[in-house]
Amino acid sequence: MKKANRTILTGLGAIALLTVVSVGAEALAGSVSGLSIMLAVLKKATVYSLLAVSMNLLNGFTGLFSLGQAGFMLVGAYTYAILTIPVAKRAGVYQYYDGGVVQFSLPEMFSGVLGGTVGPVVGMVAALLVCGALAAFFGWLIGLPVLRLKSDYLAIATLGFAEIMRTFIQFEGFAPLTNGSNTLRQYTTFKHLYPYVIVVGICILLLVLLVNSSYGRAFKAIRDDEIAAEAMGINLAKHKMMSFVISSFFAGVGGGLMAMYTSSVQAKGFTAAMTYEILLMVVIGGIGSITGSILASFLFIGCSEWWLRFLDDSANNIGGMKLLAPGFRMVVFSVIVMIIVLFFRRGIMGSKELPDLFKKRQGKEGTR
């Protein structure tokens, strides 16, 4: 069997397995109190894994140091919210702007065509595709001037783009579309875990196929040595733009999924700190490792949002100690991150993928 076919079958099998596990976890959470927090953490970690992998495509595989992820997420989140607010609720959401300029809802449109069960789901998927397409368009637009820059200059330019987008979203002139600085809410969301797993799994599978294709090899050649890559006939501008646009597309889809998770969208939440979190996941997992980004996303969100929560409760102090208090969780979490960065300088996985570890083990067993 060809490597590409093996990759597709392995990815689809993993998505199916994770879907079954997520359905079972939701059923268990319905009967056991406290597991609802775990499901919320898993949703967020699943979304962040896509965002980390999309950023790794730029930073790890193409060697482009970009910090504009929050801006593309913002475009995706607002696009999804705007396109999925039911028409009957728009007057309440856009209460200062006469119901807004958009007077349709994609889930309602598809529901009228395909029926009440399938239609809304198709409408939500279509909205996610529009999120990605619009973010990709902005990625192409901003990529025309900024991809001429390198290293820190590229990072500063893309970071500036993210801040500009956040300002434009809140600009009063665009308020009939974006609701200005007010919150967008009451839009259609996925309440279960398995839709997130399916969508993110398919997106990551597509990125894996891209990285293992001839385009992916061209991206890696550009990362390693631009002069040598150009001498081999690789069009630097074309492939850099392709990587930037594709990364922007999946960041936009991730932004739409983030909007689903949070159930409300406000521009002030998409700050540079969000981009730094995603970059930290990429570094912890290993720059140039897709599975490393996924593992780091779940570890990062699990530690910061769930496992260390007991450190914020002063009731857990022993004796007369007053060490544990709200906020102490992030102190311990920061120390853990520093230890990982100091002792795993190439990240958890380095530039390797999870299957590579098993190949190495099999090779050692075969030489005995």
Side-chain angles (χ1 to χ4, degrees):
M1 186 181 293
K2 292 182 179 180
K3 184 178 179 180
N5 295 335
R6 220 171 26 241
T7 303
I8 294 173
L9 290 176
T10 303
L12 292 176
I15 294 170
L17 178 62
L18 289 172
T19 304
V20 172
V21 171
S22 62
V23 171
E26 288 196 49
L28 185 63
S31 57
V32 179
S33 60
L35 286 185
S36 58
I37 300 175
M38 179 191 72
L39 289 178
V41 170
L42 288 176
K43 284 181 186 178
K44 187 174 182 179
T46 302
V47 175
Y48 266 88
S49 64
L50 174 59
L51 297 169
V53 172
S54 68
M55 191 175 202
N56 208 349
L57 177 66
L58 277 179
N59 292 19
F61 291 101
T62 316
L64 299 175
F65 188 25
S66 171
L67 293 176
Q69 212 75 352
F72 299 118
M73 289 172 59
L74 179 63
V75 171
Y78 265 81
T79 301
Y80 181 84
I82 291 168
L83 293 178
T84 58
I85 298 174
V87 176
K89 296 181 179 180
R90 288 187 178 273
V93 176
Y94 291 88
Q95 55 184 332
Y96 302 110
Y97 307 104
D98 299 325
V101 295
V102 177
Q103 290 297 320
F104 66 88
S105 170
L106 285 182
E108 291 180 347
M109 288 175 59
F110 280 94
S111 179
V113 176
L114 301 175
T117 304
V118 179
V121 176
V122 175
M124 294 164 76
V125 173
L128 287 175
L129 292 175
V130 176
C131 294
L134 194 58
F137 170 74
F138 277 102
W140 172 80
L141 200 62
I142 192 67
L144 290 175
V146 304
L147 289 181
R148 301 173 185 271
L149 305 173
K150 294 182 179 180
S151 188
D152 299 342
Y153 300 102
L154 176 61
I156 294 170
T158 50
L159 182 62
F161 158 75
E163 293 301 312
I164 289 171
M165 285 304 303
R166 194 156 61 92
T167 303
F168 267 100
I169 289 290
Q170 300 177 89
F171 181 58
E172 190 66 25
F174 297 123
L177 177 65
T178 64
N179 209 24
S181 59
N182 302 306
T183 305
L184 282 177
R185 60 190 187 280
Q186 295 184 351
Y187 50 82
T188 311
T189 62
F190 282 130
K191 295 181 179 180
H192 302 288
L193 173 61
Y194 60 88
Y196 294 87
V197 172
I198 294 173
V199 174
V200 171
I202 292 174
C203 290
I204 291 178
L205 177 61
L206 293 174
L207 286 168
V208 169
L209 293 174
L210 174 67
V211 168
N212 291 323
S213 69
S214 59
Y215 292 107
R217 289 190 287 273
F219 295 158
K220 295 174 186 176
I222 293 172
R223 174 197 64 189
D224 295 336
D225 193 328
E226 287 191 7
I227 297 175
E230 191 172 22
M232 293 170 60
I234 295 174
N235 189 324
L236 297 184
K238 174 186 173 182
H239 285 84
K240 283 183 178 181
M241 179 64 78
M242 184 183 298
S243 177
F244 198 74
V245 169
I246 293 173
S247 176
S248 303
F249 175 88
F250 287 108
V253 174
L257 291 171
M258 182 62 68
M260 290 186 194
Y261 166 74
T262 57
S263 299
S264 63
V265 177
Q266 197 167 18
K268 67 180 183 180
F270 293 83
T271 60
M274 183 176 286
T275 299
Y276 299 149
E277 282 187 354
I278 300 170
L279 179 61
L280 188 57
M281 294 175 196
V282 174
V283 173
I284 291 174
I287 297 178
S289 173
I290 291 177
T291 49
S293 296
I294 297 171
L295 289 172
S297 301
F298 280 87
L299 289 173
F300 186 96
I301 300 299
C303 283
S304 61
E305 300 289 340
W306 185 21
W307 299 329
L308 300 179
R309 281 284 181 185
F310 72 96
L311 297 175
D312 286 350
D313 190 354
S314 57
N316 293 325
N317 281 307
I318 300 175
M321 295 177 62
K322 295 183 179 181
L323 183 63
L324 302 185
F328 187 70
R329 162 178 59 98
M330 297 310 298
V331 175
V332 176
F333 176 69
S334 300
V335 172
I336 293 173
V337 170
M338 289 174 61
I339 292 172
I340 293 175
V341 172
L342 285 173
F343 291 96
F344 296 90
R345 297 193 177 184
R346 298 190 62 195
I348 297 172
M349 296 295 294
S351 59
K352 297 179 181 179
E353 303 293 349
L354 201 57
D356 295 335
L357 303 181
F358 295 102
K359 288 179 183 178
K360 188 176 181 180
R361 184 178 298 175
Q362 289 174 0
K364 287 183 177 181
E365 291 176 353
T367 57
R368 289 178 182 176

